[in-house]
Amino acid sequence: MSAVINKAKQQYRYALRLEMIFLVLLACVGFVWQWQIALSLWLGSLASFLPHCLFTYWIFFRQSAKNQSKMTAFYRAEGLKWLLTIGLIVAIFKGVPQLHFIAFFVGYFFALLLNITLPIFLQAKNRARDN
């Protein structure tokens, strides 16, 4: 396996751990106001974080017996990510009667923001350290 892929795997492992810490802290901040807001924040962030974890697993950590191209694996992982996201949002909307929708979407978009920015910041930090 190439050194670049191993480095990316380590970076994404670290980014996912760091993101989980941020999301737990966000839910703890929600407890300052009300437990229902904290639950909505937590569920919103999980509706974004869990599909991202599935995507990362599918791309970097799954060993496929089939010889498929990287783009096929990427598109398949992205499709699974969307399906899981839609399923989680529908299940949460149906299953949690006292959901605060604003708090839910604040958590959801905060997790999306972390999904995008954490790997970029970690890569920039690694480049600065290597120079």
Side-chain angles (χ1 to χ4, degrees), residues 15-27:
L16 290 175
R17 288 182 192 132
L18 196 58
E19 184 173 349
M20 180 55 86
I21 291 168
F22 281 130
L23 297 179
V24 168
L25 289 174
L26 178 68

